[in-house]
Structure formats: structure tokens, C-alpha cells
Amino acid sequence: MKKTMLSLLACAMFPVCAGAQAWDGSASSWTNGQGTEADPYVIEAPAHLAYLSEQVRAGEAYEGVYFRLAGDLDMGADAGQKFTPIGFFDEYSDPEDPGVMIDDSKYFLGVFDGGGNTIDNVHVYFVDNVNEVGGTGLFACISGGAEVRNLTIGAASTVEGTYGTGVVVGAMTGGTVYRCVNNAPVGISEGLGQGGIVGTMYGGRIAECANNGDVAGSTNVGGIAGFVDRGGVIEDCYNTGRIDFSGFYAGGIVGYLADGSLSDSYNRGRVSTDWSGGAVVGTTDNGVTISNCYYLAMADGATDWLGGITEKTDEDMKADGFLSGLDRGRGVWAADAQDLNEGFPVLAWQAGVGTGVTNAAATAEGCRVVADGRRIYVEGDGSCRLTVAGIDGSIVASGDGLTGVSVPTAGVYVATVSVGGTVSSVKIVVN
């Protein structure tokens, strides 16, 4: 966990994370992993990410296939390299029957785990002035059971698009974006649907994400998502970036919430005080659900009169009572004890709250227990038995310690190592 926190801080302060080899524009296949949850394909170099982009755009969806980012990536934007989004969004109305949607998109349908690492110095480029559906982001589009998680985009990055532009995902018609952070600015002067995390959201879920980059867009502009429809769900997210727009409808979290829900989130970034700007949501349609959302009052920023949204002062939002009301006893939010967010609440995964460990490795009787993505294994010289249980005591996985086991979700676990007649247990966090 310590590695995750340091990665977020370092890449916010410095243009490119040190130690990462800059991309030269080439593409090559990964060489490690089997693509399973227990043994995902390992993205170890910028060329591997470029190869993933080529393959998905060619029609390989990688449905049910797992990927893990091994370390920070420098995508060479300062040397003129442009990265083509992973996938291609092409959903449109049938010209002969406008009530029927045709979807020729090239979706990424796998699981991409950033492992708490950062992709920085990336210039994502796709300008859609023909079909006007967009799909510009690190991932052009995801759907179904796809998941992008535990990933940070660094501040030295840029995204160049028009319609449906988000830094992490351009357009989603399903799938999940989980525990992702954007530190890159967005500056787009035309098109619809621009967001710090996702551009246009037609279903799916965004959870426990944060946007720190300033977002300047055209119409339907949001700190987390620009446009949300088809029952899209956003929960436990926050925005600190400034939101500006030249067209209509912008919000600190969502620009236009047409159909879906927003809950347990807050905005402390300034939103332009245009009539169609809202401190949390720019505008909504009937039937949406907004609950337990808040924004920081600013003399020169937009307000918000929608139900389920409450204005708070700086002092209010840094008080214990606010944190308690935002979290509602779920353990998702935490106090900013390490000054990661200027004293405002942070997500518990950012703060490492309740883990009992300060990094992703712990020691049990001389054996080093390591969490690598959702795989837990033991570093040692001999054979051992590894049993992993939830904090409630229920066993979730067991097997050979050197081979390792996989856990179903992120969280805090108790790893028990048995070597001969010796048994030792440690707490460990899995991102």
C-alpha cells in the first residue's frame, strides 16, 4: 500500500515517474503470464501497452482475460509519441430505423489491473469529427464484465479528442472503473461528453475514483464523468480539479446525469458559474437518484440546488462529522492524516486505513508474504502452505505458498503460512 501512496504523490509532483523507460512508438507482445486471474499477462513496457491497443482495435476483446501493470510507464509524449486508445467506440442509430442501435465497437472486455502504478507522459489521441460518438481515453471503450482498476494517470499526460473523451475511459456501455486516479488536465473545445475519468457512460459503474486534473470541455463536462445514461452508477468518488465549459451543462462530478445514480461523493473543485453549471451535477432528467453528495462552497464557484446535494464550508468538510456522514460506517472513506488531499477526506484505499501493514509485503516466521495484484504468495526457500482468510475469519483461498493463491476482491486479508509445525499469520492489503 505504501508503494501505491508514494506512486500517487511522486507522479503528481514530478512530470514523469523516475525509472520508467520512455516509449519509442513500437509495439510488442507481453512475454509473462497466462492471462488468468491467478497468473495475468504482465504489462512490463510501453510497447506491451501499445500491442494491447493494436490487438483490441483489430477485434480481440480479451473477454475474461486478466492483465496486470508491473510498474510505472513513460509513454513518451514529450518526445512526440501519440498513443492510440485501446479499442474503438462505434455505437450508432440505424439509419433506416433510428430506434434501433447498432454497435460495431471494438471493446476491451478483460480486466486491467494497474497494481497501484502510474502511466504518465502519455498523449492519448483520437479525434472523432465523423461519427460523433467519440471514444477517446486510455481505453476507448469497455463493456460487459470489463474492469479497469488500481490505475493512476500522471499529470504530464494529455488527452486529445472531441466527443466522448475521458482520461481513463472514453465511453463505457457497461463494465467497471474502480480505484482509478487522474492527475492529467483535459482541454477540449468541441463535442459532447468530457470527463476526468470517463467521457460518456452508458451503463456500468465508477467507484472509489478521484480526479485531480482540471477539466475544460464543451458540453456535458464533469470531474468524474461527462454524460451518464442507461442506469450508470457513480459512487464514492471525489473531484479537486477546476471545471470549465464553453457549451452547456457541467458539474464537479457529472455534467449531465440523464439516467442513473450518484451517491456518497463530493466536489471541492471550482465549477464555472454559468447558468447551466452545477457544483456537483450540471443537469438531470427525471428519475435519477442522487444521495449523500456534497460540495465546497466558493464565492466565485457554482452552487447546486438538486436534491441529495448539500453545500459545506471548508471547516465542515474537514471535520470528523462530515467524514462520518460521507462514509456511513462502510470503511470506504478515511481522514486525510497524511495530507494527501489538503485535509479533505480521502478514499480509505489511498490512506491504507485498517490494513495493519504499511506496504504490500509482510513477514511471517522468516517468510515474506507478498500481494501482487490479487495474487498472494510467499517468498522463501522451501515449500509452505498458504491459507488466506477474510477479516471475518472465513477462508477464501488456500494452496502452495510458493505458487500462490488468488483472492476474489480487493481488501484486507489474513495470510497464514504453515512451514513444518510452525504456523504464523499476518495481515496484508490487496489492491
Side-chain angles (χ1 to χ4, degrees), residues 1-18 72 116-118 120 152-156 181 183 212 238 268 336-343 346 349-351:
M1 195 63 193
K2 191 173 188 178
K3 177 184 176 229
T4 298
M5 289 160 40
L6 290 176
S7 174
L8 292 175
L9 289 171
C11 292
M13 293 189 298
F14 300 104
V16 181
C17 292
D72 298 334
N117 296 297
T118 297
D120 203 358
T152 294
I153 304 298
V181 175
N183 294 318
N212 301 312
Y238 71 92
R268 71 176 186 88
D336 186 20
Q338 301 176 65
D339 196 27
L340 302 174
N341 191 27
E342 298 182 5
V346 295
W349 68 263
Q350 294 178 296

Side-chain angles (χ1 to χ4, degrees), residues 293-384:
C293 291
Y294 306 89
Y295 68 95
L296 178 63
M298 297 183 186
D300 61 345
T303 57
D304 209 313
W305 301 102
L306 293 173
I309 299 174
T310 305
E311 180 182 88
K312 293 288 185 179
T313 66
D314 185 288
E315 183 178 2
D316 289 338
M317 296 183 82
K318 294 178 180 178
D320 291 342
F322 176 72
L323 174 60
S324 177
L326 181 66
D327 187 64
R328 300 185 291 111
R330 297 169 300 134
V332 176
W333 294 90
D336 186 20
Q338 301 176 65
D339 196 27
L340 302 174
N341 191 27
E342 298 182 5
F344 293 85
V346 295
L347 292 157
W349 68 263
Q350 294 178 296
V353 170
T355 64
V357 296
T358 55
N359 52 38
T363 302
E365 287 294 321
C367 296
R368 181 178 165 86
V369 182
V370 178
D372 189 359
R374 292 190 185 176
R375 178 170 167 265
I376 299 176
Y377 64 96
V378 180
E379 290 183 342
D381 297 328
S383 63
C384 61

Side-chain angles (χ1 to χ4, degrees), residues 39-377:
D39 187 19
Y41 289 130
V42 183
I43 304 296
E44 300 174 275
H48 295 166
L49 196 69
Y51 181 77
L52 178 61
S53 173
E54 288 184 354
Q55 292 299 106
V56 177
R57 289 178 73 84
E60 174 55 74
Y62 292 106
E63 184 170 8
V65 177
Y66 288 76
F67 295 83
R68 178 178 59 81
L69 188 60
D72 298 334
L73 295 184
D74 176 353
M75 299 305 295
D78 58 356
Q81 301 295 346
K82 291 185 179 182
F83 182 80
T84 302
I86 299 167
F88 178 77
F89 188 54
D90 192 18
E91 185 189 58
Y92 56 95
S93 297
D94 186 337
E96 297 181 0
D97 186 355
V100 175
M101 297 299 294
I102 296 175
D103 195 348
D104 291 328
S105 302
K106 306 297 184 183
Y107 289 109
F108 173 75
L109 299 178
V111 176
F112 187 94
D113 192 334
N117 296 297
T118 297
I119 295 175
D120 203 358
N121 196 28
V122 58
H123 181 174
V124 179
Y125 177 83
F126 174 68
V127 175
D128 175 20
N129 287 324
V130 178
N131 297 313
E132 299 184 349
V133 294
T136 303
L138 183 72
F139 290 83
C141 52
I142 64 172
S143 190
E147 185 172 350
V148 180
R149 65 194 186 207
N150 305 322
L151 177 65
T152 294
I153 304 298
S157 302
T158 186
V159 180
E160 188 176 356
T162 51
Y163 296 83
T165 296
V167 179
V168 179
V169 175
M172 57 191 294
T173 61
T176 300
V177 179
Y178 180 61
R179 293 187 176 180
C180 291
V181 175
N182 172 52
N183 294 318
V186 175
I188 297 171
S189 60
E190 59 183 309
L192 308 175
Q194 293 103 28
I197 301 294
V198 174
T200 52
M201 184 182 187
Y202 305 110
R205 173 175 174 257
I206 303 173
E208 297 186 40
C209 293
N211 175 63
N212 301 312
D214 292 342
V215 181
S218 176
T219 294
N220 303 340
V221 182
I224 298 299
F227 180 75
V228 179
D229 201 359
R230 304 181 198 170
V233 174
I234 298 178
E235 54 193 6
D236 297 302
C237 294
Y238 71 92
N239 172 68
T240 71
R242 177 178 173 130
I243 310 299
D244 291 300
F245 62 112
S246 58
F248 302 96
Y249 309 128
I253 302 296
V254 180
Y256 190 161
L257 181 58
D259 178 48
S261 65
L262 169 64
S263 63
D264 306 307
S265 300
Y266 76 86
N267 170 53
R268 71 176 186 88
R270 181 188 180 277
V271 181
S272 297
T273 54
D274 184 274
W275 68 271
S276 61
V280 175
V281 177
T283 191
T284 67
D285 286 343
N286 293 331
V288 303
T289 301
I290 303 174
S291 62
N292 201 36
C293 291
Y294 306 89
Y295 68 95
L296 178 63
M298 297 183 186
D300 61 345
T303 57
D304 209 313
W305 301 102
L306 293 173
I309 299 174
T310 305
E311 180 182 88
K312 293 288 185 179
T313 66
D314 185 288
E315 183 178 2
D316 289 338
M317 296 183 82
K318 294 178 180 178
D320 291 342
F322 176 72
L323 174 60
S324 177
L326 181 66
D327 187 64
R328 300 185 291 111
R330 297 169 300 134
V332 176
W333 294 90
D336 186 20
Q338 301 176 65
D339 196 27
L340 302 174
N341 191 27
E342 298 182 5
F344 293 85
V346 295
L347 292 157
W349 68 263
Q350 294 178 296
V353 170
T355 64
V357 296
T358 55
N359 52 38
T363 302
E365 287 294 321
C367 296
R368 181 178 165 86
V369 182
V370 178
D372 189 359
R374 292 190 185 176
R375 178 170 167 265
I376 299 176
Y377 64 96

